[in-house]
Structure formats: C-alpha cells, structure tokens
Amino acid sequence: MKQLRPGILAGIFVVAGILSWAGARLWNAYGTLPGVPLAAPIVLGVIAVVLLATALSLKARLKAQRERRPGAKGVEPLMAARAVVFGQASALVAALVAGMYGGVGVFLLTDSLDVPARRDQAWYAAFSVLAGIAVIAAALFLERVLKLPEDEDPTPESPARA
C-alpha cells in the first residue's frame, strides 16, 4: 500500500477550491448561492477525533507489544490495514471537501460580508477547512503510526551474485 503524499492532498485541495470558487461565482450570478451547512465542520471534526483516537490506541498497543508487557493485546494485520485504508480515504475526501468549502469561503469573503447570513456561511466554511485539515493531519499520523519498518537493504542481491 502506498503512503499518502501531502503534495497530492494539497493539489486536490487547491483544484477543488478553484473549481468551487468559480462555481460559487457562477451560481451567484443567477441570484442564489448554496449554503455551507453547520454540520460540515462538526462531521469533519468527529472524523478527525475518531482517526486520532484510533491512532493513539494503536500506538499504545504497538508499544506494549514491542515492550512485551504481560497481557498486551497485539494489533491484527488486517485491522491495521483497514485503519490505514480508512485514514487514507478520509484524508482524500477531507482534502476535496475542505477545498470545496474553502473556495466558497473565499468567494464569500471577497463578495459581500455585509449580509449577516453570508458572514455566517463564511465562518462555517472557515471552520470546515480547519476541520478538514485536522482530518488530514490525523490520517497522516495514523498512517505514520502503522508504517512498517523499512528493510536495511532495499536492493536485495540476486542468487547469481551471492
């Protein structure tokens, strides 16, 4: 399984932000603008907390297993793989969603903050971006916790050379 690259996540965030900013401008030209739901930052925050709790729990279990503590509960490889896949999927979706809300938020900041409803929408968008960044950080931390140690020699010698 390949590791997530922060550059790819940043690229997804930027592209989604630009497209949603352009979409918000176009939508506003027709007289309305879709709202940023209050639940968006809450849901992203809950996902970030779940990812962080999973990472901390697995880190403690792996440490206890390495130290050979009596009664230490090990980490099953399939469970670890599922956790990593959940983290990677969450990070990719969070980058996309945070970029979308970021683009709408930038549009709201540059268009008109004198309308109270739009000001509230800008705040919800900003909190959504921050919560999305928290999901990405928690997912990268989870991936780091569950990373397997690298081999000493990445290029094994063939039997003919040995």
Side-chain angles (χ1 to χ4, degrees):
M1 186 178 303
K2 292 186 178 182
Q3 275 189 291
L4 281 177
R5 293 188 179 148
I8 291 176
L9 296 173
I12 291 170
F13 176 82
V14 168
V15 169
I18 291 170
L19 290 175
S20 68
W21 173 79
R25 284 190 59 171
L26 180 65
W27 205 310
N28 191 52
Y30 289 112
T32 61
L33 183 66
V36 178
L38 175 61
I42 295 169
V43 170
L44 287 170
V46 167
I47 293 170
V49 167
V50 167
L51 284 171
L52 184 63
T54 302
L56 293 175
S57 170
L58 291 174
K59 183 178 180 180
R61 288 172 64 181
L62 287 170
K63 183 179 178 186
Q65 187 178 6
R66 264 187 260 118
E67 293 174 353
R68 301 190 195 307
R69 291 186 194 155
K73 189 174 177 184
V75 177
E76 295 179 27
L78 187 58
M79 185 182 79
R82 286 178 180 161
V84 170
V85 169
F86 172 61
Q88 287 183 347
S90 298
L92 290 168
V93 170
L96 181 67
V97 170
M100 289 173 37
Y101 288 134
V104 171
V106 167
F107 171 76
L108 290 170
L109 287 174
T110 58
D111 185 47
S112 61
L113 284 180
D114 54 336
V115 178
R118 289 212 172 181
R119 192 174 330 129
D120 291 342
Q121 294 295 306
W123 279 109
Y124 299 159
F127 290 138
S128 296
V129 170
L130 291 175
I133 291 170
V135 169
I136 292 169
L140 290 174
F141 178 64
L142 175 64
E143 191 176 54
R144 188 173 147 253
V145 164
L146 295 175
K147 184 178 179 189
L148 293 174
E150 296 292 326
D151 291 334
E152 296 297 322
D153 185 13
T155 56
E157 293 184 23
S158 65
R161 291 185 194 169

